[in-house]
Amino acid sequence: GYYTPCTHPKMSGLLRLGRESLVPPSASSFGSRNSCPVPGTLINMNNMRGLQNLDVEYLLREEAKKILHDIMYGKIEEDPSLLLRFLVISFADLKNWKIYYSVAFPSLVFKSEMTLLSLHSASLVLSQEEAKSLSKSLKEWRSSNETAALPFFFVDISLDSSIAIRQLKDWKDCQDNGQKLLFGFYDHGCHQDPGWALRNYIVFLSLRLKIEKIQFLCYREKRSELDLEKSLIGEASFPPPHGWDYSDYVPEAIGWEGEKPGDGRKEKKLKEINLESMSPERRDEEQQLMHLKLMGWRHFPVDLKNLSGIRCLLLGAGTLGCEVSRLLMTWGVRKLTVVDGGHVSMPDVLKQSLYVDDDCGVPRATAIVPHLKERCPAVDVEAIQMEIPAPGNPVSPSVLDDCERLQTLVASSDVVFLLTDTWESRWFPTLLCANENKMAITAALGHDSYLVMRHGAGPGTRSGNMDDVIAQIQNLSTEDALGRQRLGCCFCNDTASLFNSISDETVALPGLTSIVSGKAVELFARMLHHPEGIHAPGDMAGMDTEHQLGLLPHQMRGSLPRCDLSTVISNSSNDCTACSNIVLSEYRREGLNFVMQAINQPTYLKDLTGISNLIKSDTCLKLPASFPVNSGKLSSARCLLLGAGTLGCDVARILMDYGVRTLTIVDSGCVVVSNLARQSLYTTKDRKTPKATAILEHLKERCSSVEVEGIQMEIPMPGHPVSSKEAAGVLKACERLQELVATHDAVFLLTDTRESRWLPTLLCANENKIAITAALGYDSYLAMRHGAGPGTNSEGSDMVAAMNKLSAEDVLGRQRLGCYFCNDVIAPVDSVSNRTLDQQCTVTRPGLASIASGHAADLFTRLLNHPDGIHAPGDIAGKSSERPSGLLPHQMRGSLSQYSLLTLVGYSSSSCIACSNAVLREYRSRGLDFVMQVINEPTYLEDLTGLTELMKSADYSRVEWVDEVDDEEFADM
């Protein structure tokens, strides 16, 4: 920081902090020769409890020790600014735009008796000639300072009244010359007493210069000149202190703002800066980007500048286009161009996440713009209604204009997303991207399978003269500009001619769109952060990578029925109909004449590339026959969603697309701006509205027939003890949750914290209800179904006997599958209070929630259509299944960094803190008294289930801990 001498008769000078305050001292410039630098320490805590728990007296003493050390070892003479220090402790509550702080200016307490012998205005002490000479000398001395002013100096007044200003390091040269000395300092104060800087100055003069009596000058200004009226000259005496020269001496110090000697600081209030007055638009944008900045703080430095400046062209504003555009905004992309030739139709409203009933009949290119702006006002979005020219399709009168427009759009964009419904509509954009060497991402849906891939770079040339266009056309290389074999495009495995498939409608499973969109956007973000960008080689699952965002695959192919995800690498094909050298050469030679010929004569591309006699490859996505979905079961299923945030919005929307028409949604929070792009249903008009209220309107405007109830309620949680005053309200919430679970068929656990899932898990096990959990880590996710509740070994109707004879099996005699808590060895505790900001905001990669939500909703649908329902055994990927719906796993655990998808089976643990017989028996015996005890004493669960004894008997010396696992992610997963 820096300060200037007092310049106002009624206002003290301030210590100022600016942008330059965080620059290393060697590079900093305080911008004024009259500004005195002051070194400081900033301690910024991650939460309020951390700030309140700081040992402020210890911190102050540590700063005082630094000052004393610099005095004793001669550093002050070389750098007088070290005699003044400051300390700032703070908590930046960025979510609420407030900063809480306190400042200390450490002053050493001089224990020896100090006597102020005199203190007068400088105008009364100095003669007229001395005053004039002093003012001139100070002005010349300030001008001679190359950068900042020196806060301490001394004034050498000779017998002839001539004056010289000298630095402290010149002290030895001026001793015993008989001249008058004034020890001066820049005084920030405006009162009749000297400012705080004099305290440490006297300690320095006593300990270092061995002086016991001085005259001092408190230098103050008026219009950048010495103010003789306000400046003070005084005289003070002070005997030397004892013991200060010991190496282990710790001086006493004061200095917290508002503190006086002998005061305590416990009752002092922190100062507060409220930043809500800044530009609302800028504040909203900062909040929208907060999760990316937190991601950079905790995990990986996100290139926000590159993301905000990159131009993304989205071809298609339908099912995939809506999700991809929203997720791109969540990743910080602010320049979007969306091209689509269709209109919003009633059947599409549930599938296409941004549109509502009122958009029906409106061109999608028109309808999508306000929906994107509602979620992110800062986005610059251009929408163009245009059909993409495609081989084999009927030629419209404007086809040539459309071709030229698409050429311009691709050339002016940085990345192109191919999100159209038909294969042939991707041909011309693919050709243009290869020709322009543009990033291209393809996302394609089958009925229950998908493809996500990035296209390889365009070809390099073997011609040395790059200005020779003909040579460039004739000498295209099979390698890219870096000399690597080019990766393929989405047509490189398609050895058949293109055909008109507009009549074929892609009927994809509802959860598939979210999964594919999430993976497409994450692939884009990963490629953008790769140092080689479009030229990056393809990674395969299982490879090692040191990059924080993980692997960068070429292609991902997945299947929901088989529960698999594979990464594939394929190089550019010599006979590809879109990116091969022969096609690109012909396009560069003939331009749009070539394109028009390909559009009008579908066999032309086949003949040109020489694949007329080849058999069609079997690698393209097919549309398999739909598996029979029991629409009656889905429409009558009553689903309870606990959580209306990022996961809750997506799951609710996907369930309606599957046909669910009865939803109850529980949430206690309100919509905040920072979550608008991540929580797919909310808009700016919902800010500060309870999520349980806001979500109702958005679900209704997509499906008027849905019966949806929103309940604003905090779910009671272990580790969150309640006072006697709060007990009645918490008990009422427990009773309400009991009733909700009992009256619904399925419960989705979509909350942010582990402990909030405990009571619903217990209730579902007790009521034998379907329970689906979706949980997010930073770049990994879990989607699982809980096992059935226990059967009993009692054949009678004796309730007590039934409680005492709970079985380890379900009612079908099968070993029960586990719940979310079955692998835990500790009870859930409070993970909400005083969490750091990145924990409060659940920092995850933006595409992750869509992927987890899609899997969770799909898992529920498969479970509901299984003949054994909740009692169905868990399937493992790779196992054959005769059911049309495919496999029904117990757990799916996925990783974006490794591009892996694991299916796991875990059985109910006899020590589980939520679904074990011991816990269920206690709950059935004591009811909510048991629940209230757990809320106030979560370790009671460990005692009850035997985990306490298990932990005591464990041989900890044999446990190999994995340090790199994120704590929050470990707890969630």
Side-chain angles (χ1 to χ4, degrees):
Y2 62 95
Y3 80 100
T4 57
C6 175
T7 58
H8 193 279
K10 295 183 179 180
M11 185 180 298
S12 297
L14 300 175
L15 178 77
R16 299 184 181 277
L17 303 178
R19 290 178 180 269
E20 66 272 20
S21 295
L22 296 178
V23 177
S26 59
S28 65
S29 172
F30 292 93
S32 171
R33 293 180 178 180
N34 205 32
S35 298
C36 299
V38 183
T41 300
L42 168 65
I43 301 176
N44 185 64
M45 304 306 292
N46 289 337
N47 53 52
M48 181 59 78
R49 176 180 288 180
L51 179 61
Q52 294 170 336
N53 289 345
L54 283 175
D55 187 340
V56 293
E57 299 307 323
Y58 169 78
L59 294 174
L60 191 64
R61 286 196 303 272
E62 288 300 300
E63 294 300 308
K65 283 171 63 177
K66 294 177 186 176
I67 296 174
L68 181 59
H69 178 274
D70 292 341
I71 290 174
M72 303 304 295
Y73 287 88
K75 292 185 178 181
I76 302 300
E77 289 96 314
E78 298 299 325
D79 185 1
S81 67
L82 295 175
L83 200 51
L84 300 177
R85 290 182 179 272
F86 69 96
L87 171 66
V88 180
I89 59 173
S90 62
F91 162 52
D93 184 2
L94 300 182
K95 199 168 185 180
N96 296 306
W97 291 85
K98 292 182 179 178
I99 297 175
Y100 302 91
Y101 73 99
S102 189
V103 183
F105 301 94
S107 294
L108 304 178
V109 177
F110 199 76
K111 287 189 175 181
S112 297
E113 184 177 348
M114 186 186 302
T115 305
L116 184 62
L117 302 175
S118 65
L119 184 66
H120 303 286
S121 169
S123 63
L124 301 177
V125 177
L126 298 174
S127 66
Q128 187 173 0
E129 186 175 349
E130 288 175 332
K132 185 176 180 181
S133 179
L134 177 60
S135 180
K136 179 181 178 182
S137 298
L138 283 168
K139 188 174 183 179
E140 292 174 349
W141 186 65
R142 286 202 312 271
S143 300
S144 67
N145 293 328
E146 293 182 358
T147 53
L150 299 176
F152 300 99
F153 55 91
F154 67 90
V155 182
D156 185 354
I157 307 177
S158 63
L159 296 176
D160 61 357
S161 296
S162 63
I163 290 179
I165 310 298
R166 299 186 183 277
Q167 297 186 32
L168 296 183
K169 62 183 179 181
D170 299 330
W171 159 250
K172 292 182 179 180
D173 300 333
C174 299
Q175 295 186 63
D176 302 325
N177 290 337
Q179 71 269 47
K180 179 181 178 182
L181 295 178
L182 287 178
F183 290 91
F185 67 97
Y186 275 35
D187 189 2
H188 79 293
C190 64
H191 304 293
Q192 294 300 315
D193 297 322
W196 103 97
L198 183 59
R199 289 177 176 273
N200 292 345
Y201 201 9
I202 287 177
V203 174
F204 164 75
L205 295 173
S206 175
L207 296 178
R208 185 66 180 171
L209 305 186
K210 308 301 181 185
I211 299 176
E212 297 184 18
K213 186 177 180 180
I214 63 164
Q215 281 190 305
F216 59 86
L217 167 65
C218 304
Y219 173 73
R220 298 172 181 177
E221 286 188 346
K222 183 177 183 180
R223 298 189 182 93
S224 301
E225 300 281 350
L226 171 67
D227 188 340
L228 288 169
E229 296 297 327
K230 288 295 181 183
S231 296
L232 304 173
I233 293 179
E235 187 174 13
S237 64
F238 35 85
H242 298 288
W244 284 52
D245 51 354
Y246 296 149
S247 60
D248 58 349
Y249 181 75
V250 179
E252 291 186 21
I254 61 170
W256 289 106
E257 274 194 323
E259 178 188 29
K260 296 179 181 179
D263 283 355
R265 192 173 162 274
K266 293 182 179 179
E267 303 301 323
K268 305 277 183 200
K269 288 187 177 180
L270 294 167
K271 289 190 172 183
E272 177 184 314
I273 300 174
N274 192 330
L275 300 177
E276 288 189 338
S277 59
M278 71 187 296
S279 164
E281 294 80 12
R282 181 181 172 190
R283 187 175 68 240
D284 286 356
E285 176 64 359
E286 288 290 330
Q287 286 184 319
Q288 292 254 357
L289 296 174
M290 184 186 298
H291 70 287
L292 294 176
K293 293 184 177 181
L294 292 173
M295 186 191 300
W297 174 42
R298 192 173 180 93
H299 299 283
F300 170 73
V302 178
D303 191 343
L304 288 175
K305 184 177 180 181
N306 194 11
L307 283 162
S308 64
I310 198 165
R311 296 181 179 275
C312 293
L313 173 62
L314 277 65
L315 302 180
T319 307
L320 288 168
C322 286
E323 274 293 276
V324 168
S325 58
R326 182 182 64 81
L327 292 174
L328 285 173
M329 294 193 307
T330 308
W331 254 114
V333 173
R334 292 296 179 263
K335 298 181 186 300
L336 298 174
T337 302
V338 184
V339 175
D340 195 284
H343 293 71
V344 179
S345 63
M346 185 64 72
D348 293 335
V349 170
L350 284 177
K351 300 177 185 298
Q352 299 171 358
S353 61
L354 293 178
Y355 306 128
V356 297
D357 284 349
D358 290 344
D359 295 319
C360 290
V362 178
R364 286 194 290 249
T366 303
I368 197 171
V369 176
H371 291 300
L372 293 175
K373 298 285 281 186
E374 283 175 341
R375 288 157 175 79
C376 180
V379 69
D380 177 11
V381 55
E382 178 187 9
I384 299 169
Q385 187 177 10
M386 182 182 80
E387 291 289 348
I388 297 173
N393 292 344
V395 177
S396 66
S398 64
V399 66
L400 193 58
D401 292 337
D402 292 340
C403 289
E404 292 174 347
R405 185 71 184 274
L406 194 59
Q407 279 181 321
T408 303
L409 289 171
V410 171
S412 60
S413 299
D414 300 302
V415 60
V416 180
F417 285 84
L418 283 66
L419 310 172
T420 52
D421 287 340
T422 63
W423 206 249
E424 64 270 18
S425 60
R426 296 183 174 97
W427 174 79
F428 189 33
T430 299
L431 168 65
L432 292 175
C433 288
N435 183 65
E436 297 281 349
N437 202 34
K438 298 289 185 177
M439 292 183 185
I441 305 286
T442 283
L445 302 174
H447 170 65
D448 53 15
S449 57
Y450 61 89
L451 165 68
V452 177
M453 68 175 293
R454 57 187 176 98
H455 295 201
T461 62
R462 292 188 293 268
S463 172
N465 182 5
M466 294 302 292
D467 294 327
D468 188 341
V469 177
I470 296 177
Q472 290 182 46
I473 292 173
Q474 294 176 345
N475 292 284
L476 289 177
S477 171
T478 57
E479 299 174 340
D480 64 17
L482 298 186
R484 293 181 178 144
Q485 190 168 3
R486 295 164 53 204
L487 294 176
C489 73
C490 62
F491 288 92
C492 281
N493 291 327
D494 182 13
T495 55
S497 59
L498 298 170
F499 56 92
N500 178 5
S501 67
I502 285 180
S503 58
D504 297 333
E505 185 180 356
T506 304
V507 185
L509 290 175
L512 201 61
T513 301
S514 294
I515 295 170
V516 172
S517 301
K519 290 185 186 296
V521 172
E522 290 298 324
L523 184 63
F524 152 77
R526 178 64 185 91
M527 181 162 59
L528 200 67
H529 285 88
H530 195 286
E532 296 175 0
I534 193 174
H535 302 283
D539 295 333
M540 295 289 288
M543 290 176 60
D544 293 330
T545 178
E546 295 181 356
H547 199 281
Q548 294 95 324
L549 285 180
L551 301 176
L552 175 54
H554 175 218
Q555 301 181 35
M556 291 171 281
R557 294 173 179 264
S559 165
L560 290 183
R562 296 195 302 271
C563 298
D564 66 7
L565 170 64
S566 59
T567 53
V568 179
I569 296 178
S570 63
N571 294 318
S572 178
S573 170
N574 292 331
D575 51 21
C576 176
T577 56
C579 77
S580 64
N581 289 349
I582 189 171
V583 171
L584 288 172
S585 296
E586 195 69 13
Y587 169 69
R588 292 183 181 184
R589 182 182 296 108
E590 299 293 335
L592 292 183
N593 289 332
F594 162 73
V595 175
M596 293 300 294
Q597 189 170 359
I599 291 174
N600 289 308
Q601 301 176 28
T603 60
Y604 171 62
L605 288 172
K606 178 175 64 175
D607 298 334
L608 175 67
T609 55
I611 60 173
S612 302
N613 300 319
L614 296 181
I615 301 173
K616 182 178 175 68
S617 168
D618 200 28
T619 58
C620 293
L621 290 177
K622 304 294 193 304
L623 302 182
S626 303
F627 73 83
V629 174
N630 192 326
S631 57
K633 274 189 176 181
L634 284 165
S635 62
S636 62
R638 294 164 296 177
C639 293
L640 173 64
L641 277 60
L642 302 180
T646 307
L647 290 168
C649 285
D650 284 347
V651 169
R653 183 175 49 77
I654 297 169
L655 287 176
M656 290 199 310
D657 194 8
Y658 267 117
V660 174
R661 290 296 178 266
T662 306
L663 296 171
T664 302
I665 302 172
V666 175
D667 197 285
S668 63
C670 294
V671 177
V672 294
V673 174
S674 59
N675 290 332
L676 287 182
R678 293 189 291 166
Q679 298 176 355
S680 61
L681 292 176
Y682 306 126
T683 65
T684 50
K685 70 178 182 180
D686 297 316
R687 69 172 75 199
K688 297 184 179 180
T689 304
K691 284 185 278 198
T693 302
I695 198 170
L696 303 184
E697 177 184 350
H698 294 296
L699 294 177
K700 279 284 191 181
E701 64 187 3
R702 284 162 173 77
C703 179
S704 58
S705 63
V706 68
E707 294 181 13
V708 57
E709 178 185 7
I711 299 172
Q712 188 174 11
M713 182 180 78
E714 187 83 45
I715 297 173
M717 297 177 279
H720 295 249
V722 295
S723 65
S724 55
K725 292 182 179 179
E726 299 168 324
V730 173
L731 192 60
K732 186 176 180 180
C734 291
E735 293 171 345
R736 185 71 189 277
L737 193 60
Q738 277 182 323
E739 178 188 354
L740 288 171
V741 170
T743 55
H744 286 78
D745 303 304
V747 181
F748 287 80
L749 283 67
L750 310 172
T751 53
D752 287 339
T753 64
R754 175 172 168 260
E755 64 267 29
S756 61
R757 299 183 179 108
W758 176 79
L759 183 54
T761 299
L762 167 65
L763 295 175
C764 287
N766 184 65
E767 296 283 348
N768 203 34
K769 298 288 185 177
I770 292 174
I772 305 289
T773 284
L776 304 177
Y778 160 63
D779 60 2
S780 55
Y781 62 90
L782 164 70
M784 70 174 291
R785 58 186 176 98
H786 295 204
T792 64
N793 293 324
S794 172
E795 297 180 359
S797 58
D798 187 341
M799 190 67 172
V800 175
M803 283 193 298
N804 292 331
K805 295 184 178 181
L806 291 175
S807 172
E809 300 173 340
D810 63 18
V811 293
L812 298 186
R814 293 173 178 158
Q815 188 173 359
R816 295 166 53 204
L817 294 178
C819 75
Y820 174 75
F821 292 93
C822 277
N823 290 329
D824 287 353
V825 293
I826 56 172
V829 294
D830 184 359
S831 64
V832 176
S833 303
N834 296 292
R835 299 172 87 190
T836 57
L837 190 58
D838 62 318
Q839 294 168 334
Q840 293 175 31
C841 296
T842 314
V843 177
T844 65
R845 287 171 59 167
L848 199 67
S850 292
I851 298 170
S853 300
H855 279 301
D858 181 71
L859 185 63
F860 162 71
T861 307
R862 293 178 186 278
L863 179 62
L864 205 64
N865 282 280
H866 194 285
D868 293 338
I870 193 174
H871 304 284
D875 294 331
I876 297 291
K879 175 184 175 182
S880 60
S881 174
E882 297 179 357
R883 294 189 303 275
S885 60
L887 302 177
L888 176 58
H890 174 219
Q891 302 178 33
M892 288 179 286
R893 295 172 183 262
S895 166
L896 280 180
S897 60
Q898 295 300 316
Y899 285 97
S900 61
L901 178 62
L902 303 177
T903 53
L904 304 174
V905 175
Y907 293 104
S908 178
S909 167
S910 60
S911 299
C912 177
I913 57 175
C915 76
S916 66
N917 290 349
V919 171
L920 289 170
R921 189 179 298 115
E922 194 72 6
Y923 169 70
R924 293 182 181 184
S925 173
R926 296 175 52 199
L928 293 183
D929 287 341
F930 163 69
V931 174
M932 294 299 290
Q933 183 174 356
V934 171
I935 289 172
N936 289 301
E937 306 171 33
T939 55
Y940 169 61
L941 285 172
E942 297 172 8
D943 298 336
L944 176 66
T945 57
L947 288 176
T948 303
E949 292 302 317
L950 178 66
M951 296 295 283
K952 286 180 180 179
S953 63
D955 184 4
Y956 289 102
S957 64
R958 297 177 61 186
V959 176
E960 185 175 336
W961 298 103
V962 182
D963 294 330
E964 65 268 24
V965 176
D966 180 88
D967 291 341
E968 182 187 6
E969 183 175 338
F970 184 82
D972 267 353
M973 300 301 289

